[in-house]
Amino acid sequence: MYNIKDKYFEKIVEKIENGTFEAGEDCSITHYHIEGDISSIPYAERTPGVCASLMDYCRCKLYEVPKSSRTREFYLATFTNDEVYDYIKNHIEEFDRQFFKDLLVTNKYATSFDKNCFEIMPVEYIDDEMCSLAVIESTGWTEYHWFDSVLKRKPEALSEDVWKLAARLYSGCQSFTRGTLSQIPDSYKDIELYKQMCRCHYNYGMELRGDKQNVMDYIPKEILTPKFLLGLLSENPNNFARFNEQALETEVSHTIDGERVKEKIWQFMIRKYGELVRYIDLNDERVSFFLENYSKDSSEYIFSFKDKYKEYKKKRDNREEYDRKQREMQEDALDTAKRVLFGAMLYSREGEDPSKAIEDEARWDTVKYRVVLPIRYRGVIPVEFLKEYDSEEYLEKLYKEMGIEIIDEHDNLFYNVVLPEGWQVEKTDRYWNNVKDKNGNTVIEYFYDSKFYDRDAYVSNVNPVDSKELKKK
């Protein structure tokens, strides 16, 4: 059992400690790493642990397990195996209530998937105690399947404490939120239940600060008052991650420099906790507000806003950029046709094959577009530019001032670029590359690691000599 900070979780644990509920026991058996399948194991050595270990990897069938090894502990360990599951289902009289209580503690997958223990246990075993034990042993946000089985077979067994703890743990999963929450008894639908839905959920004891998708859309609009929303935020600022657009746009009153003002909740929170910007969708108003309050050298901008802002600009400018590129493609096609026609005329005049003009164009086009340079910059940014440019924007500025034409983004690490005439890229060792100008001077140094699991690229330095020349411009 993983301990989590929740009053309904604590209430159930208290019932176990005072003897109201009796928890199951952990009856885990030793598992082994075994090469080969069951046929390589002598019959006398097929212990419960050996057979269970092989069944985990589908290298043993139930009929190959000696009857002497089909112990209670063996069935607890192998419950999620299809053959074992079906055996227990078809011989349910052999498995008492205590078996299922022990199963909840011993096998962490017993409450998961469609074939969970609540699908096959006798319905008389399903009560407040069994459901309470299940919910405190199933604190992973995807472990809600047992709950659906109880709703299907015996919904009245779910107490208010179990419902409210489940609302917190499982409402991060769409299928639970869409279907299960609609079946909450009306008597449980109070402010506390809706707060539980919006509080941070857990995964095996670890608090998850991220969103619960669109959970607030399933809460009645009249509940989402300023008092309700501010109450959530005062408990934990990370509850902001669950706010939908209605909640974000709700106005609240507060004091700034001794003056009472009204602001939207997203403005109120971003002003106090800039890192929370990662949880909301951007628009022009939100971008402007953030940039008014945080400079581009701030940790809030660098770690929470920059990448999100970059994606936002891509989407916002997508239509405009598409139209621009279409015009450029048409112009390029016309220029290409003119060059090919002129080249063909020259070759023809000299008595050579005019089709060579097409080959010349193909070679020129390949050279033009095959150069890539990094998007990211880890070099020094002059103090006077720190608040105006982030590292990527500053590098883009340097590229343009050096006459490097940025075509578009090749991927998340590189731009497709056209270098000035006579410039070229030279590899200096396994990871490092230099860009040299027509005089052989190194103007850019950059790093590139191509390993798929550690792929990275960045410019480390722009040659100081060229930097001085740039400043003069």
Side-chain angles (χ1 to χ4, degrees):
M1 179 175 68
Y2 295 87
N3 287 318
I4 65 175
K5 294 180 180 179
D6 182 275
K7 68 179 181 180
Y8 297 102
F9 182 92
E10 291 166 359
K11 285 172 70 174
I12 294 173
V13 170
E14 184 180 353
K15 288 182 179 180
I16 295 172
E17 291 174 347
N18 66 26
T20 303
F21 293 155
E22 183 183 349
E25 296 182 12
D26 187 347
C27 302
S28 300
I29 57 177
T30 303
H31 280 58
Y32 305 91
H33 175 72
I34 303 169
E35 298 291 340
D37 57 26
I38 192 67
S39 63
S40 63
I41 308 297
Y43 198 79
E45 296 178 14
R46 297 181 184 183
T47 63
V50 168
C51 294
S53 301
L54 289 170
M55 291 187 87
D56 284 346
Y57 295 95
C58 303
R59 299 206 298 263
C60 176
K61 298 290 186 181
L62 184 58
Y63 73 85
E64 296 173 308
V65 180
K67 285 191 176 181
S68 60
S69 292
R70 298 185 193 181
T71 62
R72 189 172 181 277
E73 291 72 22
F74 167 80
Y75 286 117
L76 290 170
T78 58
F79 176 81
T80 54
N81 178 277
D82 285 345
E83 285 186 296
V84 173
Y85 182 91
D86 289 339
Y87 178 86
I88 295 174
K89 179 180 178 181
N90 296 326
H91 300 82
I92 198 67
E93 68 282 355
E94 299 178 15
F95 302 91
D96 60 10
R97 179 183 177 87
Q98 189 62 40
F99 172 86
F100 287 98
K101 289 168 71 172
D102 293 346
L103 180 63
L104 294 173
V105 181
T106 304
N107 194 320
K108 66 179 182 179
Y109 299 112
T111 55
S112 300
F113 316 118
D114 293 335
K115 288 186 174 183
N116 64 79
C117 61
F118 283 86
E119 278 290 314
I120 60 174
M121 73 169 65
V123 72
E124 60 268 23
Y125 294 175
I126 303 176
D127 55 17
D128 184 22
E129 179 187 55
M130 192 69 77
C131 293
S132 296
L133 298 177
V135 76
I136 65 169
E137 293 292 344
S138 306
T139 56
W141 69 276
T142 59
E143 297 181 319
Y144 62 90
H145 298 89
W146 73 271
F147 201 91
D148 287 344
S149 297
V150 175
L151 278 176
K152 181 173 62 178
R153 300 186 69 202
K154 195 177 179 181
E156 64 273 18
L158 296 167
S159 65
E160 183 174 3
D161 289 346
V162 173
W163 260 113
K164 288 184 174 176
L165 180 52
R168 178 171 189 172
L169 295 175
Y170 308 143
S171 59
C173 188
Q174 280 282 18
S175 54
F176 180 87
T177 307
R178 287 176 179 170
T180 307
L181 290 177
S182 63
Q183 301 180 57
I184 298 174
D186 290 338
S187 59
Y188 300 163
K189 292 179 180 178
D190 56 12
I191 294 296
E192 187 60 25
L193 175 81
Y194 296 123
K195 281 189 174 182
Q196 281 288 91
M197 291 170 59
C198 297
R199 288 171 176 141
C200 295
H201 52 321
Y202 289 83
N203 198 40
Y204 300 114
M206 182 176 69
E207 184 180 86
L208 302 179
R209 297 181 178 181
D211 64 59
K212 284 187 176 181
Q213 300 182 40
N214 58 344
V215 66
M216 260 196 188
D217 292 341
Y218 295 90
I219 297 176
K221 292 182 179 180
E222 61 271 18
I223 298 295
L224 303 179
T225 62
K227 181 180 179 181
F228 175 85
L229 299 171
L230 290 174
L232 280 173
L233 296 174
S234 65
E235 287 181 5
N236 187 342
N238 287 300
N239 287 334
F240 185 67
R242 263 70 68 194
F243 281 34
N244 63 6
E245 283 300 311
Q246 177 192 337
L248 292 172
E249 294 294 320
T250 299
E251 287 193 339
V252 294
S253 296
H254 68 108
T255 302
I256 300 179
D257 298 330
E259 184 179 345
R260 201 69 179 165
V261 298
K262 275 192 172 183
E263 279 190 321
K264 297 173 182 178
I265 274 188
W266 67 263
Q267 294 172 317
F268 169 69
M269 289 303 290
I270 297 304
R271 190 187 296 277
K272 293 183 67 175
Y273 308 101
E275 68 274 10
L276 296 181
V277 72
R278 71 184 64 175
Y279 294 134
I280 65 174
D281 291 334
L282 296 182
N283 56 35
D284 288 348
E285 181 187 14
R286 293 171 186 175
V287 167
S288 297
F289 183 85
F290 184 90
L291 293 176
E292 286 170 7
N293 286 275
Y294 297 94
S295 62
K296 293 187 176 181
D297 62 340
S298 66
S299 60
E300 291 86 354
Y301 180 93
I302 295 169
F303 298 112
S304 300
F305 183 74
K306 186 173 77 170
D307 289 342
K308 193 178 183 77
Y309 180 41
K310 185 177 177 182
E311 288 303 311
Y312 167 72
K313 286 197 294 185
K314 277 185 186 178
K315 291 178 181 177
R316 183 193 64 186
D317 300 339
N318 188 50
R319 182 70 250 177
E320 188 177 315
E321 182 70 10
Y322 175 79
D323 291 340
R324 182 185 68 80
K325 285 189 175 182
Q326 286 295 104
R327 290 194 299 271
E328 287 183 354
M329 286 171 61
Q330 291 173 0
E331 292 170 1
D332 286 347
L334 182 59
D335 289 343
T336 299
K338 289 178 179 177
R339 284 196 299 271
V340 172
L341 181 59
F342 182 70
M345 290 171 61
L346 290 179
Y347 278 122
S348 180
R349 186 177 299 172
E350 294 172 4
E352 296 188 46
D353 185 357
S355 65
K356 286 185 177 181
I358 298 176
E359 296 174 6
D360 290 343
E361 179 64 26
R363 280 195 296 272
W364 180 85
D365 193 56
T366 299
V367 171
K368 177 181 177 182
Y369 288 102
R370 74 181 177 187
V371 180
V372 294
L373 289 180
I375 293 173
R376 294 191 298 120
Y377 182 56
R378 290 191 183 174
V380 176
I381 302 177
V383 174
E384 62 268 27
F385 293 124
L386 279 174
K387 295 188 182 300
E388 184 180 357
Y389 297 97
D390 64 36
S391 58
E392 292 175 10
E393 290 172 341
Y394 182 69
L395 181 60
E396 186 177 349
K397 165 185 162 62
L398 291 180
Y399 283 159
K400 290 178 180 177
E401 290 179 345
M402 297 169 77
I404 297 172
E405 180 186 353
I406 298 174
I407 306 300
D408 55 21
E409 288 190 7
H410 179 77
D411 56 21
N412 64 320
L413 293 180
F414 290 100
Y415 291 122
N416 288 314
V417 303
V418 179
L419 296 177
E421 185 177 352
W423 288 30
Q424 59 184 352
V425 177
E426 290 186 359
K427 195 169 185 65
T428 58
D429 64 20
R430 182 177 177 184
Y431 297 113
W432 289 94
N433 304 267
N434 290 338
V435 178
K436 296 197 171 186
D437 65 16
K438 62 183 178 182
N439 298 318
N441 299 314
T442 298
V443 291
I444 295 172
E445 297 173 13
Y446 72 87
F447 170 90
Y448 176 46
D449 184 350
S450 62
K451 296 191 296 291
F452 73 91
Y453 54 85
D454 204 21
R455 191 167 178 265
D456 194 15
Y458 57 84
V459 169
S460 63
N461 186 42
V462 175
N463 188 280
V465 174
D466 294 291
S467 294
K468 291 177 183 177
E469 292 175 359
L470 289 174
K471 287 180 181 179
K472 291 178 183 178
K473 294 181 181 180

